[in-house]
Structure formats: structure tokens, C-alpha cells
Amino acid sequence: MGSNDEDDSGSIVVINDYEDSQPATPPMEQPMVVGAAAAQAPIISSYNDKIRPLLDVIDRLRLLNVMKEGIQLPTIVVVGDQSSGKSSVLESLAGVNLPRSQGICTRVPLIIRLQNHARPRPELYLEYNGKMVPVEEPQIATAINIATDEVAGSGKSISDIPLTLVVRKDGVPDLTMVDLPGITRVPVHGQPDNIYEQIRDIIMQYITPKESIILNVLSATVDFSTCESIRMSQQVDKNGERTLAVVTKVDRAPEGLADKVTADDVNIGLGYVCVRNRIGDESYEEARKEEARLFETNAHLSCIDKSIVGVHVLAEKLVQIQANAIAKCLPEIVKNISAKLDANVSELEKMPKALTSIADATQAMMRIIQAAKESLKKLLWRGEFEEYPEDNTKHGTARFVEMLNRFSDELHNCEESNLSKDFLTEEIKGLEEAKGIELPNFLPSEAFLRIFRRKVERISYLPIKFTEKCWDYIDNVVLSVLTRHLEMYYHLKVSAKGAAHNLVQKLREQSINRVKEIVEMEKLTAYTCNPDYMMEWNELMKQQEHFINQISGTNMCLRPCSVNLEGFGEIQVEHLRQHSNVSILQQAFGLKMRMVAYWKIFKVRLVDSMALHLQYRVHNLVYNDTDEIVKELMGPDGHGIEMMLVESPAVVAKREKLKNSIKVLKESKDSVAKIMDRIVVYDAYLV
């Protein structure tokens, strides 16, 4: 490959009839003037014909903005510190004059597409802001400055919006490169204070993708390891596997340069190329002749291997590296385009069609509400969670069990369920309050009920709190499910959420009233047919005689401070010895055991009642009550359904975005297919 003296380990065979795949030439308003550089000797020739189709398809994909779809393209990204000679290198490759000035002359990413063709007139044009503007060769720098001002403003600010320069002329290498602003740390000439951060962010955006090839432009006059561009490229390409270095201004610091590029202290994996750029009014052909003479005659530069010196070597290396990258990445690009296209088509198909009539809107709403009802049945009644496999907060039946278990634990662990505290104190007080003119040793039922009612009153907040938590949870699930099913109908979604919330609040109020009624029923009378009550009471009463004896025994020295009762543990009894009436203690003990046995029955019954009530209300909600949402949405005049005819701007924008994305991806897929039909790649890797 020219003076590179390297054999290809693979080859790209191109069928010759690919001419129709090239981008159309833009219309020219005036006859083009043949520039002086058009007649110069070509930098590179034979290799271009082999990779032109590959580069055409990548340029086509870039023109379609496929990178906005998340498809990364192999790109040669040109970076360098300010005044490192980036523009001069690009001018040497393109054979055209680029903007020059003090400070930053590149304020936006400049995509330079070089296309070799043998026509006598060079063709140049700029693409930006959706326009394609033909440019005369002598006015390229001016035209770029005008376009830059339009894109980034007329000041010194920079922008990440690119513009594209297309250069079609005889003798240029087939390359596409992105020139980025030169790196500077100190803002000057009215530049923004954060100019370094802005430039760094743009550079990192372009060089981070693994598909990017980094062309690092270094001045021979500086220590490579201190260059900011090297530091940035090492952050994303630590081993330099996709970094090529171009050393400029070699005539200013020739001494020791051979050692610097040989030692490679900064890990430039793709190697170095040393160049001497055009100076002053030299023509490009004169500059290349002077470059060749310099590397032949200079005592220091002539020691450098000829395979890494000269603009022509740089062009050959870039073309070769570019071909490698494209051949390597193209299969993955095709795969990614197809995957993204399939995903977008699937997402667009899932979006509801825009509704144009009341009848269509009515059918759509009924279908959506029915689907939402089915989701609620699964989540809140049947325990089927395939719609929310990862979001267990929506797994309603399981969450109900958790809430019911917490309610049961709170009820069993509350103060009223503490059996041993102030043992018999409340019972003795209740018996004294219930005294009446009646037979002795008669246990009045009113004493039991008074104590029981007080206990129930003190725990009555627990079933109400449980009910409120359940309905708060139901409200959240219902609103979430409706939101998901009505996501594409913004106005209806808002109204449906309001209607659903109103319904849940009404049912919540009804449910709380019913729970209060259940509690009041328990307070009205004490009753159970559960045989466990009598069994429990009889077992507990077997300890009465022993307990009374421990309290009222005549031997003061043998009276214990506490008594161990089965089911209670150690009971403090000293406070009971003030009651000399053994009959009162016996009655209080019997009353206590009745309360203990019945309280156990009551707690289980209350938990069961809450569970059954919750199930009943949830069943009615998912099978019957949700119809009220439809009634409220329809409204008394039936005009509520018209809201479905008005789509939210977000939905319209999403649908249009998907359509545009699908169009771009289809065109991209077709463009790649046309090229792939013409190219046979026997080996994807070139040396």
C-alpha cells in the first residue's frame, strides 16, 4: 500500500457497479472554478476504490442521524490541544483551506467527508441546519465561519451541533473525520469562563464510544505526556488500542523526535505518523515536496523510519484503520439497526390508534376499563401477578395477608391482652360497682360486660386503622392500574384517576362504618357457641383454690409475694391481701378466667371478621363497583367520552418520534443492505 510496505492480511472485494450507491451531487448554482490544488498529484489512489462503498454506507447512516437512535458508527475523531496543528493536518489531507484565527477557530464539531473522484471540477458543499450549501473552493473558510456563527452564535461560544463539509476532488483519500475544538484551559478573547469544561464534554462525547478512532494531534515542541488531549484519550482508551498520533511541527523540534515516537511513553497503540504541514503561501504539492526533502535531509528527522513519516503515509494509515473499523463494526451495526427497528415497531404497535369518533372512543374506553378490571381481579382477588412480576407492591392478595397478620399481632400484643398486669384489680373494682340487692355469691353479668366493653373500647382503634391501611393500599393499586391502562389518553387518565379515587373513598367510608358496627356488636353482649370457651375456662378454674390459699393463708411467714399460674406466669399478689373477703377474691378470680377465655375467642373472631369483611369488599370492588368509574367518566350527558378524542401532546410527540425513528432505521437498513449486496468481505481485519 504505497510506502507503507505492509501486506494486507485480508481483502475487501468490491463489485464495480456501486456507482448508484453514492450520495447525489448537490445542485451547483454557478459553474465551479477549478482550484489550483485540483491538478496536484493524488495523496492516495489505488486503495480508495476498495473501501469507497463501505465509507459511503457509513456516511449515509451518519447523514440519516442514525447515531441519535443509539447506533454507534466508526468515526475518526480528531483531537488536540489548541495550536497543535489540527487544522493544518486536515488541510493537508483535504487539500483545501480551513478557518484559522487566534484562539479557538473550530467552535463546533466539523465532519469532513473526503471523497475521491476523477472529475475535473472539485465539488464542495456544507450541510447544516437541514441545508446543503454549495461552496466555491477559495471561500471554504469563510463559508465555514458563516455556518459556525449560524449554529453556535457569532460570539466565542462553542456548540455540540455539528456541521458537515463534503469535499469531492481528485486525489484526496476517502475519509470521514470529525474535527473537534482545540483544548484550552484559559478563556481568552471573550470565551466563556467554563470553556475548558465545554470543550472537554464535547470531546468525551465523541471519543468515548468504543467504535471511535482517536486521531491525536501532537506538537513535536511539547512533552507528549503533558498534553491534555493525551490525558483525555487515555481516560477512554487506556491501552491506546484505537488511538493514532500525528506529530506536527517536526521542523521546529527535530532533535530527539525519533526517540520520542519509538519509546511511546503514552501508549499510542496504532502508532505515530510525523508530518510537516504547509507553511505560508506554499501550495499543497510544494508542501509535500518540502516535507519529503525534510525527512530525507535533516540529520535528526532522516533517522525516523520512512513508514511513519509524511502526509501520504498518514492518509494511507487512516484509510486502512478506517476500513478495519468499518469492516469490523458493520455486522454489529446491522444487528443493532434491526434490533432497534423491531423494538420501535413493537412499541408503536402497542400504542393506541388515534381515535376519530365517539363510537371508537366508547369502544376503546370500555375495552380499557375491562382490561383494568381484569388486572385488578388478578392482583386483588386471584393472586396472579404476571403483569407486575418484579413489583411486589402490586401483589395485592399477598399484601392483604401481611396487613392482616400485622393487625392480628397488634391485637394479641396490645395492653389489653396483657393477662398478668394488676391481676384481679379491675375485676374486684367491677364487682364492687355491680353490687346490688340480690342473692349472695351471685356473679352479676353486668360486671363482666362493663369490663369487656372497656377493653373493647380501648382496642377499637386497631380494626379501624387496619381498614384504613387496606383502603389506602387499594386506592394506590387501583390508581396505578388505571394509569397504566390509560397512559396514552392523558385527559381521560386524569378524569379516571379522579373517578377511581372518589369511588375508593366512598367504599372506604362504608367499610370503616361497617367495622365500627362490628365493634359495637361485640360491645353489645358477650356470646359465643365456641366450645373452646368452656374448655378454656374450666382448665383455668382448676387453679382457683391453690391461688386463693396462697393469698389468704394464715401463716404470714409462708405467704409468697407472687404465685405462678399456668397461662399467666408469675403473678404479683401482694396488692390482693388487702381484701379480707375471700368471697370477693373467688368471684374476681372466676370473672378473670371468664374474661381470659372469652377475650381469646373475641380476638380470633375479630381478626376473622376483618378478613371476611375485607374479602367481601374487595370482591365487590373488582367485580361490580368499578362500573361506577365508567358511569362517572361518561357523565350524565354522555359527553365525557369525548375526552378520549383529545390526545396529550406527549403521546402525539411519542408516536411521531417512533414513526420518524422507524423511517430512519428502515432507510438505514436498506442502505446497508444495498452495500452488503455489493461487497464480499473475506476477512474483516486488515493490517
Side-chain angles (χ1 to χ4, degrees), residues 261-550:
V261 298
T262 303
D264 186 23
D265 295 330
V266 290
N267 291 334
I268 303 297
L270 296 178
Y272 292 80
V273 177
C274 302
V275 300
R276 185 261 190 198
N277 291 314
R278 188 170 63 100
I279 299 175
D281 295 329
E282 289 178 338
S283 69
Y284 291 104
E285 188 168 346
E286 289 170 347
R288 289 208 298 275
K289 289 179 180 178
E290 183 60 28
E291 177 186 59
R293 187 197 64 78
L294 180 67
F295 283 111
E296 286 288 344
T297 61
N298 185 277
H300 300 289
L301 299 180
S302 61
C303 298
I304 302 175
D305 193 300
K306 295 301 180 289
S307 66
I308 62 169
V309 299
V311 171
H312 68 287
V313 170
L314 173 63
E316 290 177 345
K317 278 186 175 289
L318 286 175
V319 169
Q320 183 183 33
I321 291 169
Q322 178 181 250
N324 274 343
I326 295 175
K328 179 180 179 180
C329 294
L330 201 54
E332 187 69 16
I333 291 172
V334 173
K335 177 183 175 182
N336 292 339
I337 289 174
S338 296
K340 182 70 173 179
L341 178 59
D342 292 343
N344 285 358
V345 169
S346 177
E347 188 173 359
L348 182 62
E349 289 175 347
K350 291 177 182 177
M351 292 188 69
K353 300 295 185 292
L355 304 175
T356 57
S357 69
I358 294 295
D360 288 344
T362 302
Q363 290 180 1
M365 188 180 75
M366 297 306 296
R367 186 170 59 251
I368 290 170
I369 296 297
Q370 190 59 40
K373 285 178 65 175
E374 186 61 26
S375 294
L376 291 174
K377 290 175 186 177
K378 292 178 178 179
L379 297 173
L380 300 179
W381 185 253
R382 299 203 295 261
E384 300 170 5
F385 310 131
E386 67 274 7
E387 292 182 12
Y388 297 89
E390 303 300 328
D391 186 2
N392 61 10
T393 63
K394 303 296 188 299
H395 299 178
T397 54
R399 303 293 78 77
F400 288 148
V401 171
E402 289 177 355
M403 287 186 278
L404 192 65
N405 288 339
R406 281 197 297 270
F407 167 63
S408 178
D409 290 342
E410 290 176 356
L411 189 58
H412 283 80
N413 296 324
C414 69
E415 189 69 20
E416 298 309 312
S417 296
N418 187 342
L419 303 177
S420 59
K421 183 181 179 182
D422 298 329
F423 194 72
L424 299 188
T425 299
E426 188 172 18
E427 285 72 22
I428 292 173
K429 183 179 179 181
L431 288 169
E432 290 176 346
E433 291 176 351
K435 284 181 180 178
I437 302 173
E438 56 192 11
L439 292 172
N441 297 327
F442 183 79
L443 181 60
S445 62
E446 187 59 30
F448 180 87
L449 279 175
R450 284 178 182 174
I451 297 172
F452 179 69
R453 285 169 183 159
R454 283 196 293 266
K455 290 173 70 67
V456 172
E457 185 64 34
R458 287 194 286 264
I459 62 89
S460 61
Y461 73 95
L462 289 175
I464 294 174
K465 185 176 75 169
F466 164 73
T467 306
E468 289 174 341
K469 285 184 176 179
C470 287
W471 283 102
D472 287 344
Y473 174 76
I474 291 170
D475 189 40
N476 179 268
V477 173
V478 170
L479 294 183
S480 295
V481 169
L482 279 176
T483 298
R484 182 169 69 87
H485 284 278
L486 290 166
E487 190 62 42
M488 301 304 172
Y489 301 103
Y490 173 76
H491 298 286
L492 185 64
K493 179 178 67 175
V494 173
S495 299
K497 288 173 69 175
H501 182 69
N502 293 339
L503 171 64
V504 171
Q505 293 308 305
K506 183 178 77 171
L507 298 177
R508 170 196 177 102
E509 184 178 352
Q510 293 175 358
S511 185
I512 290 174
N513 289 337
R514 176 57 182 159
V515 168
K516 290 179 179 179
E517 190 176 74
I518 291 172
V519 173
E520 289 302 314
M521 286 192 301
E522 292 289 353
K523 291 162 61 177
L524 184 63
T525 185
Y527 172 77
T528 181
C529 64
N530 191 330
D532 290 346
Y533 167 72
M534 288 303 298
M535 292 171 59
E536 179 80 11
W537 180 74
N538 286 328
E539 286 296 317
L540 292 170
M541 287 301 294
K542 291 178 181 179
Q543 304 179 84
Q544 183 184 43
E545 184 177 354
H546 170 72
F547 179 78
I548 297 299
N549 289 337
Q550 293 292 310

Side-chain angles (χ1 to χ4, degrees), residues 110-341:
L110 176 62
I111 301 173
I112 303 176
R113 294 214 313 261
L114 305 180
Q115 299 178 353
N116 178 50
H117 76 83
R119 296 170 186 171
R121 294 175 179 271
E123 297 176 0
L124 302 97
Y125 55 92
L126 285 170
E127 297 173 349
Y128 61 99
N129 288 348
K131 298 184 294 186
M132 188 166 63
V133 181
V135 181
E136 297 285 354
E137 189 168 353
Q139 280 77 48
I140 289 178
T142 301
I144 291 175
N145 286 331
I146 293 172
T148 299
D149 288 345
E150 184 174 329
V151 170
S154 57
K156 297 292 184 178
S157 298
I158 64 174
S159 170
D160 62 355
I161 300 174
L163 60 90
T164 300
L165 170 66
V166 179
V167 178
R168 290 177 172 175
K169 62 187 300 186
D170 189 20
V172 299
D174 281 289
L175 288 172
T176 298
M177 300 169 288
V178 180
D179 182 26
L180 299 179
I183 303 167
T184 181
R185 281 194 171 273
V186 181
V188 294
H189 304 300
Q191 295 167 353
D193 291 340
N194 65 339
I195 188 67
Y196 169 75
E197 287 76 13
Q198 290 186 35
I199 294 173
R200 178 198 61 200
D201 291 346
I202 293 177
I203 290 175
M204 296 304 288
Q205 173 187 336
Y206 275 87
I207 68 175
T208 298
K210 66 182 187 303
E211 294 82 4
S212 295
I213 302 148
I214 305 171
L215 182 59
N216 213 317
V217 181
L218 308 171
S219 171
T221 60
V222 301
D223 181 359
F224 295 166
S225 62
T226 65
C227 291
E228 189 70 13
S229 62
I230 287 291
R231 191 185 67 81
M232 288 185 183
S233 63
Q234 285 179 336
Q235 290 181 26
V236 297
D237 184 28
K238 186 175 182 180
N239 297 322
E241 295 173 353
R242 50 188 179 88
T243 301
L244 174 69
V246 182
V247 183
T248 64
K249 304 180 182 180
V250 295
D251 51 334
R252 297 186 187 179
E255 188 174 353
L257 182 59
D259 293 335
K260 288 172 71 174
V261 298
T262 303
D264 186 23
D265 295 330
V266 290
N267 291 334
I268 303 297
L270 296 178
Y272 292 80
V273 177
C274 302
V275 300
R276 185 261 190 198
N277 291 314
R278 188 170 63 100
I279 299 175
D281 295 329
E282 289 178 338
S283 69
Y284 291 104
E285 188 168 346
E286 289 170 347
R288 289 208 298 275
K289 289 179 180 178
E290 183 60 28
E291 177 186 59
R293 187 197 64 78
L294 180 67
F295 283 111
E296 286 288 344
T297 61
N298 185 277
H300 300 289
L301 299 180
S302 61
C303 298
I304 302 175
D305 193 300
K306 295 301 180 289
S307 66
I308 62 169
V309 299
V311 171
H312 68 287
V313 170
L314 173 63
E316 290 177 345
K317 278 186 175 289
L318 286 175
V319 169
Q320 183 183 33
I321 291 169
Q322 178 181 250
N324 274 343
I326 295 175
K328 179 180 179 180
C329 294
L330 201 54
E332 187 69 16
I333 291 172
V334 173
K335 177 183 175 182
N336 292 339
I337 289 174
S338 296
K340 182 70 173 179
L341 178 59

